[in-house]
Amino acid sequence: MSENEAKTPTSWPFREAERVAQRLARTGKTNALFETGYGPSGLPHIGTFMEVARTSWIRLAFTTLTGLNSKLLAFSDDMDALRKVPGNVPQQDMLHRYIGQPLSRVPDPFGTHDSFGAHNNARLRAFLDSFGFDYEFASSTAYYTGGRFNDALRAVAAKHDIIRDIIRPTLGPERRATYSPILPLHPRTGVVMQVAIDAVDVDAGSVTWRDPDTGTMHETSIYDGAAKLQWKADWAMRWYALGVDYEMSGKDLIDSVRLSSAIVRAMDAEPPETFTYELFLDDKGQKISKSKGNGLSVEAWLNYAPAESLGQFMFASPQRAKRLFFDVIPRATDDYLANAEALCAGIGIAEDNPAWFIHGGVAPTSPESPVSFGMLLNLASVVNAETPDMLWGFIRAYRPTATPETSPFLARLVGYAVLYYQDFVKPTKQYRAASAIERAALEDLAAGLAAIPADADPEVLQTLLYDVGKRHPFASLREWFSCLYQVLLGQTDGPRFGGFIALYGVAPTISLIEQALSREQAAAD
């Protein structure tokens, strides 16, 4: 293998970017169009962040790989009908009167925008802008009513029966009988009509249908927003009309991707490269659903950790189902810190490092934090921290040059650690008594700490911990380290204990051991 081949990035965004590059080589295009979709019947959520972030990382890899330009289109299907009223918005009764109408025609229950769709579109754009994403926003309503889809709609009309027959086998008997990819808007009520189409006039660009309530026949134009497409056909038409090169979607849409791709091929075009990601699970292992509200929101995550940690979580293993709950935050934060430090130090191939993508292809100029998030949580646990100031004295003793002013990222981590400790660690703290074997080992550790310098290196302290564990009849060293966390900190686990001793201090750790053992003795007496 040559040196260049050995340094070729193998991270999943580069593998996906290679597929897009091969597609452009086939088609002769000189720039790539990436797309993400958004349904504005609800507010942006953590899945919205995930799709845009992951697609942005593939764009970055594509540009790095090819030098070609690309664009990310964040497409809002605000022509979609309001199917049900979300439970978390005001004016429920008013919204119920607009069931079935395009979201861009439903009044805004918050009273801030022209429509409910426009309100949620604005929330989407503000949400994406807050993370600095590079994208172009697109409104389905604007594209339909502005005529940008007219040519593609004519192509759909010309293939109407073929497209209908692609979808029909996937439907139940009742819907199968009336299915059409073209959904006319009712000329009087504005409702998106899911009715049988009696005739399609390709030359006139119209469809004829019967009102199921009145029996009245209508001929409706398919152009300029007078009709829209059923969503699988709509997705395919969008790919066809815009020349989309790449779009990712969740495992729950595998069949929809297959059907929409078949529709594009029926229109004599090539569907985009697609990518299927696994879905997130809640703390009980159930699929996260925005309608159930059983997931973790972006806002909730960012209460307890920096946005970079959320990016780290989203980057790792996109095709593996992962639990998305509060207890994954510390690990994701420390994984990010480790990756950022490696990137800053030039360790490994930069383009295989998640931090390279999170920082837009630019390495941080210095390590983000000299102390891990897990270590800060341990420190907060020992001192029962209620404010960041309670941790800074220990941090300054460990790293004299570290202050909130000189280490702003560390300062943010300290604040997050105190909040996380108060909300998630403190309520579950439960100390246990040491066994006879553990008591002897802890006394041995206290004696060993008393014999080493106060400024001992974390690795020296970690070696001492290993040596003490090996001198006592533990079944495994894991049992010894579990003892340290459970007896001294009231927690089930944590980061390397040697690093914690270095941060907390040798003398305070000796006192911590003595307090734990005397607490047990007092309870026994």
Side-chain angles (χ1 to χ4, degrees):
M1 180 181 292
S2 70
E3 183 176 344
N4 288 338
E5 289 173 330
K7 293 183 178 180
T8 300
T10 59
S11 56
W12 67 264
F14 271 90
R15 294 198 302 270
E16 292 304 296
E18 179 62 34
R19 295 173 58 211
V20 181
Q22 291 172 359
R23 173 187 174 86
L24 264 63
R26 290 195 308 271
T27 62
K29 291 178 63 176
T30 57
N31 56 77
L33 178 61
F34 296 80
E35 184 183 54
T36 61
Y38 168 62
S41 58
L43 300 178
H45 53 88
I46 203 158
T48 310
F49 172 87
M50 175 267 294
E51 281 199 9
V52 177
R54 287 175 174 172
T55 306
S56 297
W57 295 330
I58 298 169
R59 279 189 69 204
L60 175 59
F62 172 80
T63 299
T64 303
L65 190 66
T66 66
L68 298 177
N69 293 326
S70 68
K71 179 170 70 176
L72 171 58
L73 194 67
F75 198 95
S76 170
D77 187 12
D78 55 7
M79 273 284 283
D80 193 22
L82 177 66
R83 296 183 180 88
K84 63 180 181 180
V85 177
N88 60 347
V89 298
Q91 300 198 58
Q92 298 273 307
D93 291 342
M94 179 275 290
L95 289 173
H96 274 99
R97 297 198 299 270
Y98 289 87
I99 292 287
Q101 294 206 26
L103 290 160
S104 53
R105 296 189 180 186
V106 177
D108 179 15
F110 298 93
T112 58
H113 292 79
D114 292 338
S115 69
F116 189 32
H119 175 95
N120 287 336
N121 286 344
R123 294 290 296 270
L124 169 70
R125 298 174 76 169
F127 177 80
L128 298 181
D129 291 345
S130 70
F131 292 102
F133 288 121
D134 175 30
Y135 70 97
E136 179 181 310
F137 174 77
S139 157
S140 179
T141 297
Y143 276 46
Y144 268 106
T145 60
R148 294 190 63 173
F149 285 154
N150 283 356
D151 289 344
L153 290 169
R154 178 183 174 86
V156 169
K159 303 282 188 175
H160 178 274
D161 291 355
I162 295 173
I163 295 171
R164 181 190 60 195
D165 291 342
I166 289 172
I167 300 295
R168 267 183 170 175
T170 68
L171 305 174
E174 184 176 350
R175 184 71 184 100
R176 188 185 307 144
T178 61
Y179 176 79
S180 167
I182 300 175
L183 309 178
L185 271 60
H186 197 288
R188 180 176 56 83
T189 67
V191 168
V192 179
M193 302 299 294
Q194 297 191 47
V195 292
I197 298 300
D198 294 316
V200 178
D201 189 329
V202 177
D203 292 333
S206 65
V207 291
T208 302
W209 56 280
R210 183 183 302 275
D211 186 328
D213 294 328
T214 66
T216 303
M217 295 295 295
H218 295 278
E219 183 178 1
T220 301
S221 171
I222 62 173
Y223 299 143
D224 302 326
K228 74 175 299 288
L229 299 187
Q230 179 269 343
W231 88 267
K232 294 183 182 70
D234 185 86
W235 201 8
M237 181 273 293
R238 205 158 69 221
W239 290 345
Y240 173 90
L242 304 178
V244 174
D245 295 298
Y246 189 94
E247 184 160 1
M248 63 171 58
S249 55
K251 184 179 179 180
D252 54 336
L253 295 182
I254 287 177
D255 286 341
S256 299
V257 171
R258 176 179 57 82
L259 293 169
S260 295
S261 297
I263 290 171
V264 174
R265 293 188 186 97
M267 297 167 68
D268 302 319
E270 181 181 353
E273 299 298 320
T274 59
F275 178 83
T276 300
Y277 56 80
E278 261 289 1
L279 305 176
F280 295 129
L281 307 176
D282 65 12
D283 57 325
K284 298 179 178 60
Q286 301 298 309
K287 186 181 81 169
I288 283 178
S289 166
K290 64 179 179 180
S291 61
K292 292 180 181 178
N294 62 333
L296 176 61
S297 70
V298 171
E299 293 77 13
W301 183 295
L302 297 181
N303 282 335
Y304 302 105
E308 292 88 345
S309 67
L310 181 58
Q312 171 68 46
F313 182 81
M314 295 300 175
F315 188 92
S317 306
Q319 292 184 301
R320 179 173 61 83
K322 294 186 291 185
R323 289 175 67 257
L324 176 58
F325 205 63
F326 291 102
D327 57 1
V328 306
I329 291 176
R331 172 66 181 274
T333 305
D334 280 339
D335 284 350
Y336 163 72
L337 290 174
N339 286 325
E341 183 175 358
L343 182 64
C344 181
I347 299 172
I349 299 175
E351 294 85 354
D352 284 338
N353 187 322
W356 184 83
F357 292 92
I358 292 168
H359 286 276
V362 179
T365 56
S366 61
E368 300 277 57
S369 172
V371 184
S372 73
F373 190 63
M375 208 72 74
L376 292 172
L377 286 176
N378 277 353
L379 182 59
S381 181
V382 170
V383 304
N384 194 22
E386 295 182 354
T387 66
D389 289 343
M390 298 178 70
L391 304 188
W392 273 106
F394 296 97
I395 295 170
R396 279 191 286 267
Y398 176 64
R399 287 291 176 91
T401 59
T403 68
E405 293 72 31
T406 61
S407 304
F409 194 86
L410 172 59
R412 291 169 58 201
L413 288 181
V414 170
Y416 290 133
V418 172
L419 287 174
Y420 191 94
Y421 163 71
Q422 287 289 332
D423 289 351
F424 299 109
V425 179
K426 184 177 180 179
T428 62
K429 282 179 69 169
Q430 187 172 358
Y431 297 95
R432 70 168 177 82
S435 67
I437 293 173
E438 291 169 340
R439 171 176 282 273
L442 288 168
E443 291 171 344
D444 189 2
L445 175 60
L449 289 171
I452 65 174
D455 59 352
D457 183 88
E459 290 304 319
V460 172
L461 295 166
Q462 193 71 20
T463 299
L464 172 63
L465 289 167
Y466 278 113
D467 290 343
V468 171
K470 291 174 182 178
R471 285 199 294 267
H472 295 267
F474 291 102
S476 68
L477 283 175
R478 180 183 293 273
E479 288 189 1
W480 164 229
F481 286 105
S482 294
C483 154
L484 293 172
Y485 287 107
Q486 294 167 11
V487 174
L488 301 183
L489 302 184
Q491 301 168 201
T492 56
D493 54 25
R496 286 164 63 90
F497 209 80
F500 167 72
I501 297 173
L503 175 62
Y504 186 50
V506 170
T509 302
I510 294 172
S511 298
L512 185 66
I513 295 170
E514 292 172 345
Q515 290 168 11
L517 297 180
S518 62
R519 182 174 60 237
E520 295 172 18
Q521 187 61 48
D525 295 342

